[in-house]
Amino acid sequence: MPVLQINGREVQYPTGTPYLDIVREYQKDYEDDIILVRFQNELRELTKHVSRDGEMEFVTTAEKPGRNTYRRSVTMIMEAAANEIFAATEASDGIRVVVQHSLGQGFYCEFRREHALVPADSDRILALKEKMTELVRRDLPIKKHNIGRSEAMRYFEQHGRPDKSRLIRYRRNSRVNIYELNGYQDYYYGYLAPSTGFCKYFDLLPYQNGFMLMFPHKNTRAAAEFAPTDKLFQIMDDSAAWGESMGVRTISDLNDVIAEGRIQELILVQESWMEQKIGDIAETIAGDLRKKIILIAGPSSSGKTTFSHRLSIQLSAHGLRPHPISLDDFYVNREDTPVDENGELDFECLEAIDVPLLNQCLNDLLAGKEVTLPAFNFRTGHREFRSRPLRLGEGDVLVIEGIHGLNERLTGALPKESKFKIYISALTQLNIDTQNNLSTTDTRLIRRLVRDARTRNTTARETLARWDSVRRGEEKNIFPFQEEADVMFNSALIYELAVLKCYAEPLLFALNASDTEVEEAKRLLKIMDYVLPVPGENIGHNSILREFMGGGCFGV
């Protein structure tokens, strides 16, 4: 009889015991719902069975793998519910739900017939929510079938879902896992719950042209509240619409472009479109001579530095003289730096910046005075004044990059009309398919893996280990202020995953099976396994992607 090590104790279970039975035994000891197990440091679905000795841990919906599993499972329930209610009436025939973007703690979804938008009226949303609630109440099993690749492709073609058939076509595996719920079958790139009863907490709310499917967040037993982010939505929607106009909305679309030898054309068009967007921002700034202080902020690996350079070039083309300023030079002296809850120096909090000095310097510059700006010496941990004095003329503008740029507390003493705030992030417009979206966070994480290995000699394990801390800082210091921006810029490139794959895969394969971060590495590797590779030598030297892969003209 196999011996399992659970919570520091050895427990025997007969061979063939479902993991689900063991979870039911231990659930009372956990505040959050258990949705997966980790057996011998590898994730397992609860439909698996005991087969040998080993160490078992429980994974709840409060942890990232469990949270992702929960979201995929609720999405599966939504698709199955939509298939059932819209197939029931002739008028609704052909309508399906498409997951468009990830927004906050939910997915923005739309009703589509073929490629045409179908109005998301309240009756349709309510009917979908009620059917989902019914499926959850019935606690129906979510079954997994392992079938041949060709069989899976035929199935999705026959059921009018060519995006999934083409996605599977580009996979090297000869077999595919297909999930079934109440007769509805679908393909998902990650684990699912064993039954619908695990997914009690969700909500559907009308938004824009579609609706939000909301998931739990910190409180895992209630759907998170939705705070509309209209500016963020608009920039994501515009990028998605551009992708559709290029015929590239999903990874299978991108793979078709690569396989047909059209990728260089797509790269050139994408870079041209991005340059036009940067030029539009520069034109807006140049059209208002009161705008003297340009504040740029965004989360990690958004391409802020390259964007700042390219914006400065466009500003120069409009007759302005941009002067770059780093907020890092306004750090307080090291002994005055606040500490976090762990007693470590907190360089990301606003209090680490000498806000009064910053405002004094900027106000003096706006008043036409000559100012000597500080330069922070990171070796000594002290501020120095060794730069040449600066005076702002009529065509001079300051370009300031830093994580607190959108926070009004940073520049509250400056005239509002003198400031122009820009939020930048890599808001990927590419989805895996019409039900599986690509996380914008994953795009930035893959960028950072590649950049840190090149510029800091940091291993993928080290970057993955720090990522949760980076994310917490973003949620505290950046995301709450993103809607304060005058304009948003999407730095995501529709082709970038195919290029970064060549750099990121070797880094991720270097992790050992015993590393805590290996789960996350495997997840990212699976995402990249869907896309065909593209060599990076033909990427323009001023591309934002060069900030991460190297070889750029801006020296970053």
Side-chain angles (χ1 to χ4, degrees):
M1 187 178 295
V3 176
L4 302 182
Q5 297 178 31
I6 301 177
N7 296 340
R9 295 174 52 235
E10 291 188 350
V11 188
Q12 286 187 318
Y13 286 97
T15 300
T17 302
Y19 289 157
L20 183 57
D21 289 352
I22 301 174
V23 164
R24 286 170 176 155
E25 182 180 339
Y26 283 87
Q27 178 61 69
K28 64 181 183 300
D29 300 327
Y30 290 80
E31 181 179 350
D32 304 293
D33 292 336
I34 301 169
I35 199 167
L36 295 171
V37 298
R38 189 177 287 112
F39 182 76
Q40 293 296 90
N41 207 31
E42 291 190 1
L43 292 174
R44 293 284 186 267
E45 291 177 310
L46 299 189
T47 50
K48 296 290 186 180
H49 300 78
V50 173
S51 61
R52 60 189 175 94
D53 297 349
E55 183 177 358
M56 178 182 287
E57 301 173 61
F58 300 116
V59 179
T60 73
T61 53
E63 302 170 64
K64 185 173 183 178
R67 183 167 60 248
N68 289 340
T69 297
Y70 187 92
R71 292 186 171 198
R72 280 190 292 269
S73 303
V74 173
T75 303
M76 173 78 171
I77 294 169
M78 177 181 69
E79 297 293 343
N83 180 71
E84 184 173 339
I85 61 178
F86 297 142
T89 62
E90 185 177 346
S92 296
D93 186 42
I95 293 180
R96 56 176 22 106
V97 174
V98 175
V99 177
Q100 292 283 64
H101 320 300
S102 175
L103 280 177
Q105 302 306 317
F107 292 161
Y108 170 72
C109 308
E110 290 178 346
F111 294 110
R112 294 283 181 114
R113 182 184 283 112
E114 294 295 334
H115 295 293
L117 181 68
V118 177
D121 57 65
S122 57
D123 289 342
R124 190 170 279 128
I125 295 173
L126 180 60
L128 181 59
K129 182 177 179 179
E130 289 178 345
K131 178 57 67 174
M132 291 175 66
T133 302
E134 176 194 329
L135 294 178
V136 170
R137 178 181 53 78
R138 292 166 63 187
D139 193 20
L140 299 173
I142 300 176
K143 305 172 185 176
K144 181 191 282 189
H145 306 292
N146 185 261
I147 64 176
R149 180 168 162 268
S150 298
E151 182 184 350
M153 291 172 61
R154 282 194 303 272
Y155 173 83
F156 288 119
E157 283 288 349
Q158 292 167 0
H159 287 78
R161 295 150 81 188
D163 60 314
K164 290 185 182 290
S165 178
R166 285 161 43 233
L167 181 72
I168 294 169
R169 172 196 166 199
Y170 289 107
R171 298 214 67 202
R172 295 181 178 87
N173 295 8
S174 61
R175 301 191 67 79
V176 178
N177 290 322
I178 302 296
Y179 290 91
E180 180 182 354
L181 169 57
N182 202 29
Y184 173 79
Q185 297 189 71
D186 211 339
Y187 174 75
Y188 285 85
Y189 80 90
Y191 300 116
L192 295 186
S195 68
T196 59
F198 278 73
C199 304
K200 301 181 181 70
Y201 315 108
F202 63 88
D203 201 2
L204 270 65
L205 304 169
Y207 184 60
Q208 299 288 344
N209 296 316
F211 64 92
M212 292 297 304
L213 170 62
M214 298 302 299
F215 306 106
H217 184 35
K218 293 179 180 178
N219 177 5
T220 65
R221 307 234 169 165
E225 293 185 6
F226 176 56
T229 52
D230 295 342
K231 291 180 182 178
L232 186 67
F233 171 83
Q234 193 58 58
I235 199 72
M236 295 181 77
D237 211 47
D238 288 347
S239 297
W242 180 84
E244 288 185 5
S245 73
M246 293 291 103
V248 182
R249 188 67 183 94
T250 64
I251 283 181
S252 56
D253 295 331
L254 177 61
N255 284 339
D256 287 346
V257 171
I258 297 169
E260 294 165 9
R262 297 185 287 116
I263 186 61
Q264 191 59 37
E265 177 185 354
L266 180 65
I267 290 172
L268 292 173
V269 173
Q270 164 82 95
E271 293 289 354
S272 177
W273 188 70
M274 183 169 283
E275 190 65 29
Q276 178 182 328
K277 293 292 183 182
I278 298 173
D280 290 344
I281 294 173
E283 185 174 359
T284 300
I285 295 169
D288 186 350
L289 295 179
R290 297 174 302 170
K291 304 301 182 188
K292 290 289 190 179
I293 300 169
I294 303 163
L295 297 153
I296 302 170
S300 173
S301 303
S302 294
K304 296 184 290 294
T305 304
T306 299
F307 171 78
S308 299
H309 283 294
R310 287 176 64 172
L311 178 63
S312 293
I313 291 171
Q314 287 284 353
L315 291 170
S316 297
H318 283 79
L320 300 178
R321 291 182 296 276
H323 301 275
I325 293 180
S326 173
L327 282 181
D328 289 356
D329 285 329
F330 286 87
Y331 274 137
V332 299
N333 291 329
R334 188 69 46 81
E335 62 269 20
D336 298 322
T337 303
V339 296
D340 61 18
E341 61 275 11
N342 298 318
E344 298 180 358
L345 294 175
D346 186 356
F347 295 107
E348 294 191 347
C349 69
L350 183 62
E351 290 71 24
I353 302 293
D354 191 334
V355 174
L357 176 63
L358 174 69
N359 282 265
Q360 178 187 334
C361 289
L362 296 182
N363 266 319
D364 286 347
L365 287 169
L366 290 175
K369 297 178 182 179
E370 188 175 81
V371 175
T372 300
L373 297 173
F376 194 81
N377 187 323
F378 285 88
R379 184 178 60 83
T380 64
H382 287 82
R383 183 189 306 133
E384 299 173 354
F385 292 88
R386 46 187 166 82
S387 62
R388 288 187 300 175
L390 174 65
R391 187 193 303 272
L392 291 186
E394 184 176 340
D396 293 297
V397 292
L398 304 176
V399 180
I400 304 175
E401 174 200 333
I403 63 173
H404 299 289
L406 304 182
N407 186 345
E408 190 59 23
R409 288 176 57 203
L410 178 74
T411 56
L414 302 179
K416 187 173 183 179
E417 63 273 11
S418 69
K419 296 179 285 189
F420 190 86
K421 298 180 179 180
I422 302 173
Y423 175 77
I424 175 175
S425 188
L427 306 167
T428 180
Q429 60 271 70
L430 197 68
N431 282 345
I432 295 176
D433 56 35
T434 52
Q435 277 75 47
N436 294 279
N437 78 312
L438 270 177
S439 166
T440 60
T441 301
D442 287 342
T443 300
R444 294 190 293 107
L445 175 53
I446 292 170
R447 283 180 170 189
R448 181 158 176 153
L449 285 166
V450 174
R451 184 196 64 192
D452 284 4
R454 177 180 64 85
T455 63
R456 303 175 184 176
N457 199 30
T458 303
T459 66
R461 187 195 64 77
E462 292 169 326
T463 299
L464 292 174
R466 292 194 195 105
W467 189 243
D468 284 345
S469 175
V470 171
R471 294 279 294 140
R472 286 193 296 271
E474 294 169 350
E475 291 179 358
K476 178 182 178 182
N477 299 312
I478 298 175
F479 297 145
F481 310 104
Q482 61 190 16
E483 290 290 307
E484 299 297 318
D486 294 294
V487 67
M488 290 190 175
F489 180 78
N490 185 2
S491 70
L493 297 151
I494 204 165
Y495 65 84
E496 70 176 87
L497 187 59
V499 175
L500 292 177
K501 167 189 175 92
C502 305
Y503 299 86
E505 280 188 336
L507 302 173
L508 292 167
F509 276 120
L511 271 78
N512 297 315
S514 59
D515 290 333
T516 304
E517 298 77 19
V518 74
E519 278 179 12
E520 185 71 346
K522 288 181 177 178
R523 187 183 67 82
L524 294 174
L525 283 168
K526 186 167 186 179
I527 292 173
M528 287 183 285
D529 190 45
Y530 288 113
V531 65
L532 296 177
V534 170
E537 59 261 23
N538 292 326
I539 305 301
H541 293 295
N542 70 337
S543 173
I544 280 178
L545 204 56
R546 288 288 180 181
E547 184 170 327
F548 308 97
M549 59 185 280
C553 60
F554 299 120
V556 296

